Amino acid sequence: MTEIDLDDLREELLQCRRCGICRNSVYEAKGFDGICPIWRNTSGFETSFMRGKIQVALALLDGTLERTAENAESLYQCALCGNCTQICAAEFHPAHIMETVRYVLNELPNESRDKIAESIKSVDNPYNEDPSSRRVWLEELGLNVPTSSEILYFVGCTSGLRIQNIAKNTALILNAAKTDFAVMENEPCCGSVMMRTGRMEEARENAEKVVDAIKATGAKKVIVSCAGCLKTLRKDYSEKFGIEMPEILHIVEYSKELLAENKLKLKSLDNIKVTYHDPCHLGREMEIYEEPREIIQAIPGVNLVEVNPNRNTAICCGAGGGLRSYDSDLSRKIAADRMKAFEETGAKTVVSACPFCETNLIAGSKLLDSDIEVVDVVDLLRRAIE
Amino acid sequence: MDPSFVQALVDIVGEEFVSTRADVLLTYSVSASIGYDRVVPGTVVRPASTEEVSQILKLANKHKIPVTPRSGGSSLQGEVIPQEDGLVIDLLRLDSVQLFKDLRSVRVGAGVTFGVLDKYLNQHKLWVPVYPDSSLVCTVAGNVAVNGAGPGSGVQGCIAELVLGLEVVLPNGEVIQTGTEANPNAPGPFLRYAFGPDITGLLIGSLGAFGIITAVSIKTFKRMEHFYYQSYGFDTAEGAERFLSELRHNDVSIPMAAIYEGRILEFFLDMIGEEYGIPQTEWPPFTVSATIGRIRKDQLDSDIKMAESICMELDGRVVGVPELPQGEWEDRMWTFVRSSYVHGWWWMMLYHHQAPTNWHRSVEEIWNVMDKYGILGQTAGFLTGGRSYNFYPQLYFDPVDREEEEKVREAHRELSQRLFKTGAVPFKLARYWVEDVEEMKPYLQFIKNLKQNIDPNGIMNPGILGGI
Ligand SMILES: Cc1cc2nc3c(=O)[nH]c(=O)nc-3n(C[C@H](O)[C@H](O)[C@H](O)COP(=O)(O)OP(=O)(O)OC[C@H]3O[C@@H](n4cnc5c(N)ncnc54)[C@H](O)[C@@H]3O)c2cc1C
Ligand code: SF4
Ligand code: SF4
């Protein structure tokens, strides 16, 4: 990451004209139905949405506000979901600039940020879990997957350690399509959450480690099943650190290719009605909206109904930007709010394409006592493979 | 702020909705108004009902704490900048909507934005056809408090023309209802001018100085579905001005119409032309960009013919670029946001109304001031009702250049005085319009008397309405 010029940063923050459109705009013709999930699910003071966050950032930078944990709260109480950016007419990217502010002000007290960074540094995952359990799911599957190949499945920490069904089903899809692929022995964390929370120097060191590890597998193509890993490996490494990467594909992109090449044979699933949650990192950040939908719709018997809003104006699940660790109650509350919207579609299943979203939506579902099932696209696709 | 006062607020709305935190107060020290100094309040409270607002005002009145009602915080002329150590009442939690389909009206809480209301009414093929360009953020109540206007106003006029009644919490905490709903037996809002003097009108444009509007009852209309977009060209300002007047005189239904002088049109097209797909065109010296809209196709066809014949009679020409008005109309909830924020300048705004036949006088003075101070700006506006043109000129400055900002503040003051002399009027009574203006003294004194009676402790938005 290049040195941040504070004057430039300030000038960029001053692109905000304080119009407030990033609070709760409803613009039916353009698909907006609310903007900031934090505003909606907290006390709703000005600090909760981007207009106020920018004012706080400017004041912390110029010393008008003292740099305390309380004064910094609004900077971290943000999922960096980018919906404010989507509606903002000014020539800057509010959500990205918030990430830069977090980096510049990274001496601000924030325990969860520091714990996560330490955990990634010491055990290669943000959950402080034993890294040796990373390939256990493969053993459970009974698949003989090598550690080097031209195609690498980069599993990611959440699929590898928490929701292993996603890892398993991704592997089974690849296997069904007769794709030879590798899984690393000691896969490092992509470092996404370090970047989001402002620990950029450590994120750079971590990125170098990841790149070396990927190189060692001989991979020419890397498949991921996590929206955060996708954005980090495909976009952030090159944009922030100037690192060249092999081709990085999300499994929804790769599966679409497999379907087009007729490498997967699908059977009908019994007339199920599903809806789709657009993960912010996959949608707004990488502009991947249609592939997951095309996969869902390719499965006979599956009826996809859209939740409102969706695609580029979708509301975040509340997990991103380090929010899930910084304020897990709020994060869950946002997820529950989102689950309510899914319930209104009449669907019995919510499909997503990010293990982090899935984890949070499940937590939200519990909070709401909802009986909607939350699954990943790979779970659904795997069920349909003959 | 006195801890017992803050505790009493907590008792009314709950701890979650009262804040005295430094970061929160800082964010309420500003609004969308640029070129105004920030003032940090002492407490912010977010009530959820009229009853809570009433209790809060009783309390503030007892303690003589200055109060700033705040809704969207989108006002541009410093109207919602609070008092130092004062109380800000954020009204966005009052979000009810009640439709009176048979009465062709709707009642909305103070927190309901135009965007939310439009989506709601669209289900019923209805609308409130005034769309401030801040529709996504500003509330109907906030717009009534400033008496705003927007695209759609070409037919209906400013928002005041649509209001049927208001629920208002007075500075002493008492709640009154104006219009037909003042009679609890009435089926709902159907007539504003009920029970004598127009108390509704007293509150419209009052900038919160006489009380807090907690609900607005407003007319709804069948949504227009037939539109025609056209740009008409004229060699003289007079031709364009007369065109607008004649259109309305002949009852041509134009929800949105604006006059652009050549250089301003060029600037506007630089900002937004590509997005709207506006082709390279030989633009005339003066262009009228017009949206004609009707409920029925036969009405529309007749209006199109009438507009064309008026244009010809005035030696104008049909430019044949529908993309300009179409973009303005279809993007009406944020056209202005997009064209005003895509460049890097900050700006101060000087909203005012001018007789359409006097359009050129405002434009002349805006240019005179820009030339005198060596600053940039623009002269945009739109037709409001048949008889007025709503200008929203902007004066630009570099956000990090304090000197230039000072210059613009001074130019802004001078412009208001110059515009006053051209016969222009503000729709909100900012201090700089009437300060030291001899001819306005009796009028201001009358307002002062009203204020003294309604708000003897002077707690409601002191200094905002005409400096009172
Ligand atoms: C991008 C942009 C475009 C704009 N375009 C237009 C436009 O086309 N037309 C237009 O008219 N305006 C426009 N404005 C200005 C602004 O949106 C209007 O003044 C708007 O009506 C303010 O509403 P608000 O809810 O944001 O009120 P606020 O800014 O919160 O308050 C405005 C004033 O009303 C008082 N007030 C607020 N709520 C109440 C209440 N419930 N009871 C009593 N007093 C109250 C406040 O104390 C303050 O004095 C624009 C602003 C922006 C940022
Ligand atoms: S971030 Fe953009 S949308 Fe939000 S207040 Fe600032 S300019 Fe407006
Ligand atoms: S990035 Fe998302 S959570 Fe953060 S302020 Fe913007 S809309 Fe709110």
Side-chain angles (χ1 to χ4, degrees):
Chain A
M1 183 132 176
T2 47
E3 267 310 296
I4 308 286
D5 180 317
L6 288 184
D7 288 336
D8 288 350
L9 175 62
R10 187 166 171 272
E11 257 186 68
E12 225 178 308
L13 287 164
L14 290 175
Q15 281 304 307
C16 170
R17 318 301 162 80
R18 309 192 295 250
C19 67
I21 281 171
C22 48
R23 183 184 61 226
N24 66 331
S25 291
V26 173
Y27 196 171
E28 197 182 8
K30 310 280 173 195
F32 289 102
D33 197 13
I35 303 291
C36 183
I38 312 292
W39 180 80
R40 237 178 95 89
N41 290 285
T42 56
S43 306
F45 288 108
E46 280 275 327
T47 37
S48 61
F49 65 102
M50 192 50 90
R51 171 165 73 175
K53 293 182 192 304
I54 289 176
Q55 291 309 304
V56 170
L58 282 162
L60 287 168
L61 284 167
D62 73 14
T64 312
L65 268 184
E66 208 186 325
R67 295 184 183 180
T68 62
E70 181 175 282
N71 285 339
E73 184 186 45
S74 60
L75 303 189
Y76 299 107
Q77 232 179 30
C78 166
L80 299 179
C81 72
N83 209 19
C84 49
T85 304
Q86 204 64 35
I87 197 143
C88 177
E91 286 287 275
F92 78 131
H93 194 301
H96 287 176
I97 200 95
M98 198 44 61
E99 208 172 289
T100 311
V101 168
R102 288 177 177 186
Y103 167 49
V104 169
L105 294 174
N106 68 10
E107 86 286 7
L108 284 166
N110 177 343
E111 210 179 299
S112 73
R113 171 199 62 199
D114 299 343
K115 261 196 192 156
I116 289 172
E118 285 320 305
S119 172
I120 294 174
K121 280 201 284 188
S122 56
V123 288
D124 280 328
N125 68 76
Y127 302 119
N128 210 18
E129 289 206 2
D130 176 4
S132 66
S133 58
R134 273 204 181 257
R135 275 175 62 107
V136 168
W137 60 271
L138 266 179
E139 284 157 29
E140 286 171 11
L141 274 185
L143 286 183
N144 190 11
V145 175
T147 54
S148 64
S149 169
E150 289 208 348
I151 295 182
L152 171 72
Y153 171 34
F154 187 92
V155 183
C157 301
T158 311
S159 311
L161 297 164
R162 290 286 163 95
I163 314 192
Q164 294 178 340
N165 265 350
I166 295 182
K168 284 179 182 169
N169 287 329
T170 303
L172 289 172
I173 291 166
L174 295 174
N175 203 44
K178 304 202 169 23
T179 302
D180 292 327
F181 67 99
V183 170
M184 281 184 217
E185 187 64 53
N186 297 309
E187 186 187 279
C189 171
C190 72
S192 172
V193 68
M194 278 173 159
M195 288 183 204
R196 310 302 151 229
T197 56
R199 298 290 289 252
M200 205 58 80
E201 299 307 339
E202 287 101 325
R204 175 203 285 278
E205 283 163 29
N206 183 71
E208 279 157 10
K209 183 166 154 184
V210 174
V211 174
D212 289 345
I214 290 178
K215 266 192 195 139
T217 67
K220 297 209 169 77
K221 190 181 277 205
V222 179
I223 292 165
V224 296
S225 50
C226 169
C229 294
L230 179 77
K231 192 225 165 195
T232 306
L233 299 179
R234 185 146 107 195
K235 197 169 172 185
D236 291 331
Y237 278 17
S238 62
E239 284 180 8
K240 291 187 198 299
F241 308 136
I243 294 175
E244 259 192 54
M245 295 292 287
E247 186 184 13
I248 313 282
L249 286 176
H250 191 278
I251 183 69
V252 293
E253 297 172 292
Y254 192 66
S255 300
K256 193 186 149 185
E257 285 175 19
L258 296 178
L259 286 170
E261 290 162 9
N262 254 336
K263 290 191 174 159
L264 295 172
K265 300 258 171 300
L266 304 182
K267 63 178 182 219
S268 178
L269 296 181
D270 272 348
N271 237 340
I272 55 168
K273 191 170 173 183
V274 308
T275 185
Y276 177 69
H277 166 72
D278 285 280
C280 305
H281 277 143
L282 197 65
R284 277 187 285 267
E285 285 289 349
M286 304 308 297
E287 295 185 7
I288 297 173
Y289 299 113
E290 300 315 320
E291 286 85 343
R293 290 176 166 83
E294 284 168 24
I295 292 168
I296 294 168
Q297 282 165 323
I299 303 172
V302 176
N303 173 19
L304 174 69
V305 288
E306 292 289 353
V307 67
N308 178 40
N310 58 64
R311 293 184 171 81
N312 60 330
T313 57
I315 302 288
C316 170
C317 73
L323 185 66
R324 192 161 155 78
S325 349
Y326 181 73
D327 189 342
S328 56
D329 286 348
L330 172 59
S331 187
R332 271 196 294 267
K333 202 171 158 200
I334 293 171
D337 194 29
R338 193 67 183 137
M339 287 305 292
K340 256 189 249 160
F342 292 129
E343 280 188 341
E344 279 163 22
T345 65
K348 288 279 163 262
T349 305
V350 180
V351 186
S352 186
C354 175
F356 209 47
C357 295
E358 184 178 329
T359 314
N360 210 38
L361 289 174
I362 289 170
S365 174
K366 279 193 190 132
L367 197 65
L368 193 66
D369 208 11
S370 169
D371 55 6
I372 299 192
E373 168 199 38
V374 183
V375 301
D376 194 278
V377 179
V378 292
D379 301 332
L380 201 66
L381 186 59
R382 159 74 193 104
R383 278 187 219 166
I385 290 174
E386 278 177 4
Chain B
M1 194 167 260
D2 179 358
S4 69
F5 177 75
V6 176
Q7 184 54 47
L9 290 173
V10 168
D11 293 344
I12 297 168
V13 299
E15 197 159 1
E16 203 189 334
F17 297 109
V18 179
S19 185
T20 53
R21 276 174 57 156
D23 57 335
V24 172
L25 298 180
L26 176 108
T27 57
Y28 284 87
S29 68
V30 290
S31 64
S33 296
I34 279 172
Y36 296 82
D37 294 329
R38 70 167 69 235
V39 181
V40 182
T43 307
V44 183
V45 60
R46 303 193 72 231
S49 65
T50 303
E51 176 52 29
E52 287 182 1
V53 173
S54 160
Q55 288 183 46
I56 293 166
L57 281 194
K58 273 184 193 149
L59 190 70
N61 205 19
K62 188 170 135 201
H63 291 259
K64 298 193 173 57
I65 304 278
V67 169
T68 305
R70 175 169 171 132
S71 302
S74 71
S75 44
L76 292 168
Q77 302 190 136
E79 302 93 325
V80 78
I81 308 287
Q83 296 290 305
E84 199 178 331
D85 215 26
L87 174 66
V88 175
I89 306 184
D90 174 331
L91 295 154
L92 291 171
R93 291 178 68 215
L94 279 77
D95 58 0
S96 61
V97 180
Q98 187 184 4
L99 181 64
F100 297 86
K101 215 168 181 177
D102 293 344
L103 303 180
R104 298 167 57 222
S105 60
V106 66
R107 179 181 169 97
V108 294
V112 176
T113 63
F114 285 84
V116 168
L117 179 60
D118 193 56
K119 182 176 176 199
Y120 174 87
L121 291 176
N122 196 17
Q123 305 167 68
H124 305 279
K125 297 204 179 327
L126 297 170
W127 66 1
V128 172
V130 168
Y131 293 88
D133 267 305
S134 49
S135 288
L136 302 179
V137 57
C138 89
T139 61
V140 178
N143 202 250
V144 169
V146 303
N147 192 15
S153 286
V155 175
Q156 297 296 345
C158 55
I159 196 82
E161 311 285 5
L162 303 184
V163 178
L164 287 169
L166 300 172
E167 181 187 74
V168 182
V169 182
L170 297 172
N172 64 4
E174 276 171 17
V175 183
I176 59 158
Q177 173 67 53
T178 70
T180 47
E181 291 162 287
N183 176 354
N185 303 306
F190 61 92
L191 180 73
R192 165 162 154 191
Y193 303 100
F195 301 109
D198 180 19
I199 302 302
T200 309
L202 180 67
L203 270 302
I204 293 174
S206 70
L207 301 175
F210 298 137
I212 294 184
I213 301 165
T214 41
V216 177
S217 298
I218 196 159
K219 297 173 192 169
T220 60
F221 297 81
K222 191 169 176 182
R223 244 181 144 82
M224 288 176 185
E225 280 180 2
H226 301 280
F227 293 100
Y228 173 77
Y229 308 101
Q230 191 52 275
S231 334
Y232 304 87
F234 299 89
D235 290 334
T236 62
E238 196 200 351
E241 291 169 350
R242 284 202 47 213
F243 179 60
L244 285 190
S245 287
E246 286 297 319
L247 286 178
R248 291 305 288 130
H249 193 58
N250 287 283
D251 203 24
V252 175
S253 168
I254 23 173
M256 173 74 182
I259 307 179
Y260 289 100
E261 46 172 335
R263 48 193 167 169
I264 291 302
L265 183 58
E266 248 170 59
F267 174 72
F268 184 76
L269 295 181
D270 272 355
M271 298 299 125
I272 211 113
E274 207 179 304
E275 197 178 323
Y276 290 171
I278 297 173
Q280 285 294 331
T281 305
E282 188 77 29
W283 293 99
F286 298 91
T287 302
V288 173
S289 164
T291 295
I292 303 178
R294 284 286 192 182
I295 289 170
R296 294 202 319 265
K297 179 79 170 56
D298 57 323
Q299 296 169 314
L300 183 76
D301 291 341
S302 152
D303 278 359
I304 296 169
K305 272 194 210 131
M306 176 59 83
E308 204 170 315
S309 89
I310 296 172
C311 175
M312 296 309 162
E313 268 170 38
L314 294 169
D315 291 333
R317 70 176 168 94
V318 173
V319 179
V321 182
E323 290 87 350
L324 172 62
Q326 185 165 2
E328 286 174 330
W329 179 250
E330 288 181 350
D331 250 9
R332 62 189 173 276
M333 291 212 220
W334 66 3
T335 314
F336 168 79
V337 183
R338 300 190 78 74
S339 62
S340 302
Y341 294 163
V342 290
H343 55 68
W345 289 302
W346 279 19
W347 37 260
M348 279 187 87
M349 161 81 84
L350 195 59
Y351 278 120
H352 64 277
H353 282 268
Q354 183 66 271
T357 44
N358 223 10
W359 174 87
H360 62 283
R361 288 292 294 120
S362 277
V363 171
E364 277 162 21
E365 290 305 348
I366 298 163
W367 281 107
N368 285 341
V369 164
M370 288 197 288
D371 290 346
K372 176 173 167 188
Y373 287 87
I375 51 179
L376 294 171
Q378 52 94 320
T379 62
F382 51 83
L383 186 70
T384 302
R387 296 179 173 80
S388 178
Y389 193 89
N390 182 343
F391 270 96
Y392 51 91
Q394 297 169 332
L395 304 176
Y396 298 138
F397 62 93
D398 177 340
V400 291
D401 186 341
R402 282 297 300 181
E403 222 175 276
E404 197 175 29
E405 179 175 345
E406 262 322 306
K407 217 181 341 174
V408 162
R409 287 184 186 213
E410 220 179 299
H412 185 267
R413 263 189 301 273
E414 180 169 336
L415 182 58
S416 72
Q417 288 157 12
R418 284 176 179 244
L419 289 170
F420 186 85
K421 294 208 174 92
T422 67
V425 298
F427 46 106
K428 26 199 161 185
L429 191 55
R431 176 199 303 253
Y432 46 78
W433 279 100
V434 285
E435 232 166 19
D436 306 324
V437 180
E438 203 51 45
E439 306 95 295
M440 290 298 293
K441 284 211 165 124
Y443 181 85
L444 257 193
Q445 187 53 51
F446 179 66
I447 293 192
K448 270 186 194 157
N449 296 345
L450 286 173
K451 170 83 174 166
Q452 178 60 34
N453 277 294
I454 297 170
D455 181 18
N457 289 328
I459 61 163
M460 295 304 304
N461 235 353
I464 296 293
L465 185 76
I468 300 165

